[in-house]
Amino acid sequence: MASRSAHISSDKRFLIFFDFDETIVDETSDDMVVQTAPGQHLPSWLKDTYEPGRYNEYMQRVLGYLSEQGVTESDLRGVMEKIPATPGMLNLFQFLRMRQDFEVVLVSDSNTFFIDSWLRRAGVRQLFHRIFTNQATFNRNGRLILRPFHSHDCQRCPVNMCKQAVVRDYVARRTQERGRPYQRVFYVGDGANDFCPTLFLGTHDVAFPRKHFPMHQLITETHEATPGVFKAVTVPWVNAEEVMARLRKHLAE
């Protein structure tokens, strides 16, 4: 599901994508939701149903179990709102909010309810022009129903979301709407599923992998194994203020 904010101005020079889990927030929201379970853990029979590449389907079962245990919408929202931001991230958001040069997009394999709960609590929902993630809505029984974002043919990504497809399609559509390309495209992420979209980036674009996380490791391995395949400039970060410092340099271009 793609949710939108206000009308997007066509004069923005830069496009920046953010992942959510362990990029914007310093935890994985799907892991944090386990705090609402009895004893703050899931039964083994449920955890054993996970299949690689099918985490979305697994989380559907987890949310069903939590509902059966009496976990409410308020319980889930409360846990999401307490997740800390990654170091420096709120300062980076403040920087982006004060500039008119950036079109800001969130692309995540989390879900609309988890993300929206956190963004609104942090007061940064309006920063994002678009949010691409799995749809999650409560049914009449109070159960959070999770739906896959889309289907695709990418062999690198989970069956419910290929972030490269999202990024590629969005850039193409917005370039056509604007009548010109962006000066640069940036991608800020951490996970293995954030590597795939950065393969789409060109030599003038910048990938910001969280240092020593899977995205960073995959970029490093690709540079070593197949030089030239990964084209974007790579700027690893520990604190999001390092991302901000790099963006400041590009503003002066």
Side-chain angles (χ1 to χ4, degrees):
M1 177 182 179
S3 61
R4 65 181 61 197
S5 184
H7 171 73
I8 305 175
S9 171
S10 62
D11 62 356
K12 297 185 183 298
R13 292 193 290 152
F14 305 113
L15 173 61
I16 183 166
F17 291 94
F18 283 89
D19 170 50
F20 182 68
D21 289 321
E22 294 192 293
T23 297
I24 290 176
V25 294
D26 208 17
E27 302 284 352
T28 299
S29 55
D30 286 346
D31 291 343
M32 295 300 290
V33 80
V34 175
Q35 293 183 6
T36 65
Q40 297 191 354
H41 71 271
L42 300 175
S44 297
W45 64 262
L46 178 56
K47 291 187 286 187
D48 290 344
T49 66
Y50 169 69
E51 298 178 41
R54 296 185 174 276
Y55 195 80
N56 183 268
E57 297 173 12
Y58 169 71
M59 279 306 300
Q60 292 178 45
R61 293 189 289 273
V62 170
L63 292 170
Y65 169 79
L66 293 176
S67 178
E68 292 170 357
Q69 301 306 308
V71 174
T72 67
E73 177 178 348
S74 178
D75 294 332
L76 294 174
R77 181 179 289 106
V79 168
M80 292 303 112
E81 291 177 344
K82 292 177 183 177
I83 302 176
T86 53
M89 189 58 64
L90 294 180
N91 289 339
L92 172 56
F93 287 167
Q94 180 65 19
F95 166 80
L96 292 171
R97 190 182 310 183
M98 299 298 291
R99 271 68 180 180
Q100 301 301 314
D101 300 85
F102 296 94
E103 183 172 327
V104 187
V105 176
L106 195 157
V107 54
S108 168
D109 199 11
S110 181
N111 65 74
T112 52
F113 178 75
F114 289 0
I115 292 172
D116 199 59
S117 296
W118 192 90
L119 293 180
R120 292 189 184 281
R121 178 67 172 179
V124 295
R125 174 62 184 85
Q126 293 304 312
L127 175 66
F128 293 91
H129 299 93
R130 295 287 188 275
I131 296 176
F132 296 95
T133 189
N134 304 294
Q135 184 177 10
T137 55
F138 288 90
N139 66 12
R140 65 180 61 186
N141 297 319
R143 174 179 173 177
L144 186 59
I145 305 299
L146 185 62
R147 294 180 177 84
F149 179 77
H150 65 185
S151 58
H152 60 85
D153 298 322
C154 178
Q155 298 301 307
R156 283 185 294 265
C157 294
V159 296
N160 62 292
M161 175 176 273
C162 171
K163 292 186 177 182
Q164 182 179 147
V166 175
V167 168
R168 183 181 64 241
D169 292 349
Y170 185 81
V171 171
R173 183 173 72 253
R174 289 291 294 131
T175 299
Q176 183 178 27
E177 291 171 352
R178 290 157 45 91
R180 64 185 186 281
Y182 294 94
Q183 194 168 323
R184 294 182 191 273
V185 177
F186 306 106
Y187 191 103
V188 187
D190 74 283
N193 66 346
D194 294 311
F195 171 69
C196 189
T198 54
L199 287 170
F200 167 76
L201 302 182
T203 55
H204 287 84
D205 303 324
V206 183
F208 292 100
R210 195 172 182 186
K211 195 171 185 178
H212 301 317
F213 278 67
M215 177 188 175
H216 186 205
Q217 295 167 354
L218 288 168
I219 292 173
T220 301
E221 291 169 2
T222 301
H223 278 308
E224 294 173 352
T226 53
V229 169
F230 192 90
K231 299 179 177 61
V233 177
T234 304
V235 180
W237 60 280
V238 174
N239 187 301
E241 292 192 14
E242 298 168 69
V243 177
M244 182 169 62
R246 180 67 183 223
L247 297 180
R248 284 186 188 276
K249 294 181 180 180
H250 291 299
L251 277 175
E253 296 175 340

